[in-house]
Amino acid sequence: MTRIASHRGGTLEFGDSTPVGFKATAQMALEEVEFDVHPTADGAIMVHHDPTLDRTTDRTGAIRDLSEAEVRAATINYGAGGHPLSLEELCAIYRGSAVDFRCEIKPGPDGRPYADFVHRVIATLEREGMLARTVFSSFLIETQDELARATERPRLWLVSPPVLNQLGVAATLELARSHAIPEIGVHVDCADRDLMDAVQAAGCQFGCWAAHTQQQIEKTLRLGVKVFTTDRPSLAIAVRDRFVKGEQP
């Protein structure tokens, strides 16, 4: 059965990376919660999509330049008054949940990987008892290589539409092969049967991201992809339930 990953804890339902969204997702009948991590200036690891607070909170500044307390003081827009969580706090929410982790290792505001960050994320997840339940993702090949050196946990290469278009399918798959990448995720609007067949023929698993509308969700189910991320987890669950019952879109 195609897996559902609640993207940033269900952004379109609960706000972007909010405590209320993560807590709600932990109780849902889906398989994964997707989230992003960034380091603070004083060594904490915070769960937030953007490298800065500017777009989704009432504060500004790059997370890497702020203290944990300063990041926590931000109020997330449309998030029921919630504040950014630490990775440890997210682990505490999901330790007793059946929902597993999909952790995206984000770059900094300059688009470059944070120095010495991957191993800190891995160490925190292991200490909190969640590493064995975590799949890692990144758009950056450099980060993919660092993950491969640091852990045997599954990892997923997120291939953006510009990369897919500029490289082409064959070159994209060759790059994945040369870096021993086991799974590829593409934007749902780029996905089709030919692409999925090519990815699977190359020995990679295939998934989608950004399946937020009913039509996009139905597309992933018809294709039978491994997993898709969605900002609307409640809708995704309802659509998949109908599909499983034979009410195919």
Side-chain angles (χ1 to χ4, degrees), residues 93-175:
I93 292 170
Y94 283 87
R95 198 171 292 118
S97 168
V99 178
D100 291 329
F101 275 4
R102 176 169 167 154
C103 175
E104 183 174 346
I105 306 291
K106 284 290 191 182
D110 57 358
R112 300 297 305 149
Y114 297 112
D116 203 31
F117 185 51
V118 165
H119 88 275
R120 290 176 49 209
V121 174
I122 292 171
T124 299
L125 290 167
E126 186 168 28
R127 185 173 63 249
E128 296 293 325
M130 292 298 291
L131 181 60
R133 296 172 54 191
T134 299
V135 172
F136 291 99
S137 67
S138 177
F139 284 94
L140 301 182
I141 290 292
E142 185 175 348
T143 299
Q144 291 287 337
D145 290 342
E146 190 173 0
L147 282 164
R149 291 190 295 268
T151 181
E152 295 182 353
R153 293 301 303 157
R155 54 196 173 89
L156 160 68
W157 180 25
L158 300 167
V159 180
S160 68
V163 168
L164 185 61
N165 290 335
Q166 290 168 19
L167 290 181
V169 174
T172 298
L173 295 176
E174 174 57 27
L175 188 59

Side-chain angles (χ1 to χ4, degrees), residues 16-222:
D16 197 322
S17 305
T18 64
V20 66
F22 287 126
K23 289 174 182 176
T25 293
Q27 305 301 318
M28 290 184 176
L30 48 70
E31 289 70 40
E32 299 176 12
V33 60
E34 191 273 351
F35 62 91
D36 314 273
V37 287
H38 298 273
T40 66
D42 53 356
I45 299 173
M46 303 303 291
V47 177
H48 194 73
H49 179 266
D50 293 4
T52 74
L53 299 176
D54 303 26
R55 184 179 64 89
T56 60
T57 80
D58 64 347
R59 302 289 177 106
T60 60
I63 293 173
R64 68 179 180 187
D65 298 330
L66 302 172
S67 68
E68 178 180 2
E70 289 173 319
V71 176
R72 286 183 180 279
T75 299
I76 303 170
N77 301 333
Y78 315 109
H83 308 280
L85 295 170
S86 68
L87 181 55
E88 289 90 344
E89 288 171 318
L90 193 71
C91 289
I93 292 170
Y94 283 87
R95 198 171 292 118
S97 168
V99 178
D100 291 329
F101 275 4
R102 176 169 167 154
C103 175
E104 183 174 346
I105 306 291
K106 284 290 191 182
D110 57 358
R112 300 297 305 149
Y114 297 112
D116 203 31
F117 185 51
V118 165
H119 88 275
R120 290 176 49 209
V121 174
I122 292 171
T124 299
L125 290 167
E126 186 168 28
R127 185 173 63 249
E128 296 293 325
M130 292 298 291
L131 181 60
R133 296 172 54 191
T134 299
V135 172
F136 291 99
S137 67
S138 177
F139 284 94
L140 301 182
I141 290 292
E142 185 175 348
T143 299
Q144 291 287 337
D145 290 342
E146 190 173 0
L147 282 164
R149 291 190 295 268
T151 181
E152 295 182 353
R153 293 301 303 157
R155 54 196 173 89
L156 160 68
W157 180 25
L158 300 167
V159 180
S160 68
V163 168
L164 185 61
N165 290 335
Q166 290 168 19
L167 290 181
V169 174
T172 298
L173 295 176
E174 174 57 27
L175 188 59
R177 185 204 62 78
S178 66
H179 290 269
I181 292 169
E183 184 173 347
I184 287 174
V186 303
H187 191 285
V188 64
D189 292 343
C190 296
D192 59 28
R193 179 67 59 183
D194 289 343
L195 177 58
M196 185 173 78
D197 288 347
V199 170
Q200 293 176 336
C204 294
Q205 296 176 310
F206 181 76
C208 296
W209 41 275
H212 307 319
T213 69
Q214 180 169 332
Q215 291 73 23
Q216 290 171 325
I217 293 165
E218 289 173 348
K219 178 181 180 179
T220 69
L221 297 172
R222 287 195 302 269

